[in-house]
Amino acid sequence: MPRWVTSIAVGLLATACAALIRFLLDTLVPGAAVFPLVFPAAMIATLFARWLAGATASTVSILFGWYYLYPVKNSFRFETSAQAVTMGSVIIAAAITVALAEMFRRSVHRATQERDRQIAERELFLEEFDHRVKNNFMLVASLLEMQRRRAGEGETAEALGSALSRVESIARAHRYLYRGGATPGTVDMAAYLNELCSALSDALFLRGAITLDCRSDHAALPRDRAVSIGLIANELVTNAVKHAFPGRDTGMISIRFEAAGAGWLLTVRDNGAGMPAETKARGRDGGLGHRLVEGFARQARGTIHTESGADGTVVTVQLEP
């Protein structure tokens, strides 16, 4: 449909709405307020469908009121010069209303185009930034993996493997930050933790002997907070695999992330042998891993609580809203 046809149709629709309201008013106060509805009808029509719609609405409304209502019904005659001046004033006011509404509509349209241009430029910048950051993550991970392989077996290789796992956890959160569907600047925790668990299963060679079960509610959390929570889960699962199942080939580790009141609750549970008495006071590994978990919990605005016994260990992190 041509644009001018749409404009005229919108103008006639606005006129019909004004006429309906005028009819309802006329049943209450016959003959009162002949022309005031011309101006809102013309303004609305202009804002929605350009100046032609406003001109159509004002022209039809004024001619209708002039002929059928004012000053002499069923006639375009004037009885006095004052009536002619009144009609001229209505026509001029309607023209000014349409002109102002069209100026406002065009300024809004220009502002919208400028906003869309800025958004497009920002999205292009973010895509380029995302690409460069992903390349940097891949470079760091590749270097760590190369050094880990050269280190062979031992504490050095183990430390490099832990560092590699932490870098990959941060990289996953970064990927979810720039995926569509989430609020800008946030990470979908359900998707993020599920992929994290899958990667941990592959990295720790969990092939059915020790199973890792991950369940999470959907929550859009800020990137930095999501990264901290993912790193907590990464450390706790890694520690559980290393220390919870001595002399055993089977076991279960579960991760739960769920709403708890106004905040969130992260729970990492295993059915291993529990922590030895001498290590309960200083954490499962008593070293860097425990200190990292505490640091990540502070960054995520969480409080850690650990329970350990013969049937396993449960670590809960209560996260503030």
Side-chain angles (χ1 to χ4, degrees):
M1 183 181 297
R3 180 176 295 174
W4 65 271
V5 175
T6 303
S7 297
I8 292 176
V10 172
L12 293 176
L13 177 62
T15 303
C17 293
L20 177 61
I21 296 174
R22 179 72 190 83
F23 173 77
L24 295 176
L25 291 175
D26 202 46
T27 58
L28 300 176
V29 186
V34 177
F35 295 109
L37 291 176
V38 172
F39 308 114
M43 180 182 295
I44 293 173
T46 303
L47 294 176
F48 275 95
R50 294 179 169 79
W51 67 270
L52 182 58
T56 301
S58 56
T59 300
V60 174
S61 298
I62 290 173
L63 289 177
F64 178 86
W66 184 1
Y67 186 81
Y68 289 104
L69 302 173
Y70 181 89
V72 180
K73 290 186 176 182
N74 300 321
S75 174
F76 287 111
R77 292 184 299 104
F78 297 109
E79 295 179 337
T80 63
S81 59
Q83 293 174 346
V85 172
T86 299
M87 183 59 62
S89 300
V90 170
I91 294 173
I92 293 173
I96 293 174
T97 300
V98 172
L100 292 176
E102 177 66 12
M103 292 172 59
F104 177 78
R105 186 196 65 79
R106 291 187 180 187
S107 65
V108 170
H109 181 66
R110 286 193 297 269
T112 302
Q113 287 183 322
E114 178 64 18
R115 182 202 61 187
D116 292 342
R117 184 188 64 79
Q118 293 176 353
I119 290 175
E121 289 181 352
R122 185 178 63 181
E123 289 179 349
L124 181 62
F125 169 77
L126 287 176
E127 289 178 1
E128 179 64 21
F129 177 78
D130 179 38
H131 178 69
R132 292 180 181 273
V133 172
K134 283 194 294 186
N135 288 343
N136 291 337
F137 275 127
M138 291 175 62
L139 177 60
V140 173
S142 299
L143 291 173
L144 288 173
E145 177 65 19
M146 185 185 304
Q147 292 297 322
R148 186 181 68 84
R149 291 181 180 180
R150 288 183 178 180
E153 302 293 336
E155 294 184 358
T156 302
E158 186 176 325
L160 289 171
S162 298
L164 176 61
S165 179
R166 291 160 190 152
V167 169
E168 289 178 342
S169 180
I170 298 173
R172 284 185 204 96
H174 172 83
R175 285 202 301 273
Y176 278 101
L177 173 64
Y178 292 102
R179 288 184 181 178
T183 304
T186 62
V187 175
D188 180 10
M189 292 302 299
Y192 172 42
L193 289 178
N194 284 332
E195 183 172 323
L196 176 63
C197 290
S198 177
L200 284 172
S201 296
D202 293 336
L204 299 173
F205 304 102
L206 306 181
R207 294 288 188 267
I210 299 176
T211 58
L212 178 60
D213 179 48
C214 182
R215 299 181 187 178
S216 172
D217 292 345
H218 285 280
L221 296 187
R223 177 200 57 190
D224 293 339
R225 200 175 188 192
V227 168
S228 298
I229 294 171
L231 289 171
I232 292 172
N234 181 87
E235 292 295 328
L236 293 175
V237 170
T238 302
N239 290 340
V241 172
K242 291 179 181 178
H243 304 287
F245 308 103
R248 290 173 51 180
D249 295 331
T250 59
M252 167 70 75
I253 303 173
S254 67
I255 298 177
R256 299 288 183 272
F257 183 80
E258 54 196 353
W264 303 93
L265 185 66
L266 174 68
T267 304
V268 180
R269 182 191 308 268
D270 67 65
N271 61 352
M275 289 188 290
E278 63 272 14
T279 62
K280 287 185 179 180
R282 56 190 177 90
R284 166 164 276 150
D285 61 0
L288 177 62
H290 180 64
R291 293 195 298 271
L292 286 174
V293 169
E294 290 183 339
F296 296 146
R298 286 193 297 270
Q299 291 178 1
R301 304 200 309 275
T303 304
I304 299 178
H305 179 69
T306 303
E307 295 181 359
S308 184
D311 56 348
T313 302
V314 180
V315 181
T316 58
V317 183
Q318 181 67 52
L319 300 163
E320 299 176 2

